[in-house]
Amino acid sequence: MNATLHESLSDLPVLDFGSAAYRSAPFETLSEWSQNWKIAQSVRGVELLDYDICRRAILDRRLGTGHPKLMDVLGLPEGRPLDYKRNSISYYNRGDRRRDLRRPVTGLLDEGATEEFRAVIRSIVERVVDAIPTGHSVELIPALCDPIPSALYCHWVGAPFEDAAFVARTSHTVQQVHSRIPEHTPAIVEAFEALIDYVDARIAEARDNPGDNLISKLIRAEEAGQLSSHDLRNWVIKMAEANTDNSSHQIGIAVIELASRPDIWKRLGEDPSLVPQAVREVMRYHPRTISTSREVLEDTEIADTFLPAGTPVFANIGATHWDDRYYAAPDSFDIDRQEEPPHLNFGGGVFSCIGRFVITAEVEEVIRLLAKRFPNLSLEKTGFSHSPMFTSVTDLTVRLDP
């Protein structure tokens, strides 16, 4: 079936993310949908399935953040968590306010800055891996995937390594805002309350004992008038909210996809220079972010379909990465791909993920060390769940034999 033109939303085909096909083979199903249609609909809104259309939508100034509507879906009550959400960058659309909020933080987490503290990431990875027992089965999510990004956050805010467990647990819970399931709201609120108290204590400590870490640099940006005290607080909350959960799952996905292919795993152990391109292929083939949400700010037209203001729109990244019009044999895992479009995992423009270089560095350092130290790493039990928004690692039990 060829892509067709639609004059209204009612003409669009309907996708079922709850179907057995999607649950059992999400990317194959997304690929099939993308071959049939460039635009469709589901119970959550309008679904974009074509690479070029998704890329343009990510950058389109007529499309804004879908976060306010998400809070309505969850029924987040009045209080500190909702106040944080309303005043954080998640609520701001394209324009001066979003730009001004991003500017001081982007410089602290851009590619150059990330390379400067890559040594810190490497030392955290080594510390965490050194603590994992070898010679028997280990659940790698709590032993490896969670501690690394949460320990890096602790480094950023001058907290002890031991706080990493709290940061990881809290990040996983507050990220359930993307589940769109109101039953999760009480747990989300409770976790946000604990996180807000924690962040307030870390900021107070950093004001009394300034250093050269990230939180102290943000405080200096506040003192220079680049951020308000509320903006400062919201950024420190935001970094904990988004960091651990996303990074942990991305690390787990990479370990599974690469270690399950012994020939590739061996190549990475023998030639660490191949790790960055292998990680890029993981993020294309099995992305953590399956779709990203937007909301139409003004009546507009996308893919020959009229979309009224307020329409929720979802760019299906997972579909674009498995489209053979853009990637050769997209269902094949190939770390030697060249001259193909970049993956869309981290969005783009003023909605791009500020932590994208950090997450990538974390995954690279994990794979580099594991492949070198454990060439015979054995995957004993693995599992995934796939919502319309995210890939989550549900099981990752391994045996580490040097």
Side-chain angles (χ1 to χ4, degrees):
M1 182 186 301
N2 294 324
T4 55
L5 302 182
H6 305 281
E7 294 182 353
S8 68
L9 297 182
S10 61
D11 295 328
L12 296 176
V14 179
L15 309 182
D16 181 7
F17 288 102
S19 66
Y22 183 81
R23 291 198 306 270
S24 63
F27 298 106
E28 291 88 341
T29 301
L30 286 168
S31 176
E32 181 180 349
W33 289 343
S34 71
Q35 296 303 312
N36 292 336
W37 311 291
K38 292 185 176 182
I39 185 170
Q41 62 177 315
S42 72
V43 294
R44 63 180 183 166
V46 171
E47 307 288 345
L48 307 180
L49 300 163
D50 175 80
Y51 183 95
D52 282 338
I53 292 173
C54 285
R55 184 183 58 185
R56 289 196 298 270
I58 288 170
L59 300 174
D60 196 331
R61 298 184 67 86
R62 299 169 300 174
L63 302 181
T65 176
H67 225 70
K69 187 157 287 185
L70 179 59
M71 295 304 103
D72 292 339
V73 170
L74 286 171
L76 208 66
E78 293 293 334
R80 292 196 305 171
L82 183 56
D83 183 64
Y84 151 68
K85 279 293 186 182
R86 285 172 174 160
N87 291 284
S88 75
I89 195 168
S90 298
Y91 256 58
Y92 287 99
N93 288 309
R94 308 169 201 275
D96 292 346
R97 177 62 174 153
R98 187 175 186 92
R99 181 202 63 204
D100 292 344
L101 279 172
R102 285 177 61 94
R103 183 175 291 151
V105 181
T106 300
L108 298 176
L109 296 176
D110 63 13
E111 188 172 15
T114 299
E115 287 307 311
E116 288 180 6
F117 61 75
R118 184 182 281 268
V120 172
I121 297 174
R122 186 173 297 131
S123 69
I124 289 172
V125 172
E126 291 174 351
R127 176 175 178 173
V128 170
V129 172
D130 286 346
I132 300 175
T134 59
H136 59 83
S137 299
V138 178
E139 294 182 9
L140 221 54
I141 296 173
L144 174 80
C145 302
D146 283 355
I148 288 170
S150 56
L152 179 59
Y153 178 82
C154 289
H155 172 79
W156 284 345
V157 299
F161 183 90
E162 290 71 23
D163 284 7
F166 164 80
V167 174
R169 182 173 64 253
T170 307
S171 176
H172 283 312
T173 303
V174 299
Q175 277 292 294
Q176 291 180 22
V177 295
H178 296 286
S179 70
R180 310 179 76 83
I181 299 175
E183 287 77 12
H184 292 166
T185 299
I188 292 169
V189 170
E190 182 179 359
F192 264 127
E193 291 284 3
L195 180 57
I196 291 168
D197 287 340
Y198 181 79
V199 164
D200 285 346
R202 297 318 315 168
I203 292 174
E205 171 65 20
R207 290 192 192 280
D208 291 339
N209 299 283
D212 194 40
N213 52 18
L214 191 66
I215 195 170
S216 294
K217 291 177 180 178
L218 287 172
I219 289 172
R220 288 195 283 274
E222 175 210 20
E223 293 170 345
Q226 298 173 352
L227 294 169
S228 71
S229 59
H230 291 294
D231 296 337
L232 163 66
R233 180 204 212 194
N234 290 341
W235 267 120
V236 181
I237 297 170
K238 183 68 174 176
M239 288 176 181
E241 176 188 0
N243 177 54
T244 300
D245 187 72
N246 288 322
S247 296
S248 174
H249 288 294
Q250 190 66 76
I251 291 169
I253 295 167
V255 171
I256 294 170
E257 293 296 350
L258 294 170
S260 64
R261 296 172 168 84
D263 54 336
I264 293 178
W265 193 250
K266 181 180 179 181
R267 287 179 67 191
L268 299 178
E270 294 174 348
D271 185 358
S273 70
L274 297 176
V275 169
Q277 65 195 58
V279 170
R280 285 196 297 272
E281 176 64 354
V282 168
M283 292 183 178
R284 180 206 66 84
Y285 180 85
H286 201 161
R288 156 63 175 164
T289 302
I290 299 178
S291 67
T292 187
S293 63
R294 296 289 186 268
E295 182 176 332
V296 177
L297 300 178
E298 59 187 64
D299 291 355
T300 191
E301 184 179 286
I302 295 179
D304 300 303
T305 303
F306 172 75
L307 303 181
T311 302
V313 175
F314 296 86
N316 281 270
I317 292 164
T320 71
H321 290 180
W322 279 57
D323 190 331
D324 62 12
R325 290 168 293 188
Y326 299 93
Y327 299 95
D331 57 343
S332 296
F333 188 89
D334 181 5
I335 70 169
D336 297 309
R337 290 180 181 274
Q338 295 182 359
E339 299 181 358
E340 290 185 334
H343 66 73
L344 298 178
N345 257 16
F346 299 127
V350 295
F351 282 103
S352 61
C353 173
I354 288 180
R356 62 193 182 278
F357 299 111
V358 174
I359 294 173
T360 302
E362 289 172 337
V363 179
E364 288 174 354
E365 292 303 322
V366 168
I367 298 302
R368 186 175 285 115
L369 181 61
L370 290 183
K372 178 181 179 181
R373 189 178 293 187
F374 304 107
N376 299 313
L377 185 150
S378 174
L379 298 173
E380 296 188 340
K381 184 180 180 182
T382 63
F384 298 105
S385 66
H386 298 92
S387 73
M389 293 294 293
F390 293 118
T391 296
S392 296
V393 179
T394 56
D395 289 298
L396 179 50
T397 303
V398 307
R399 183 183 177 94
L400 300 179
D401 290 320

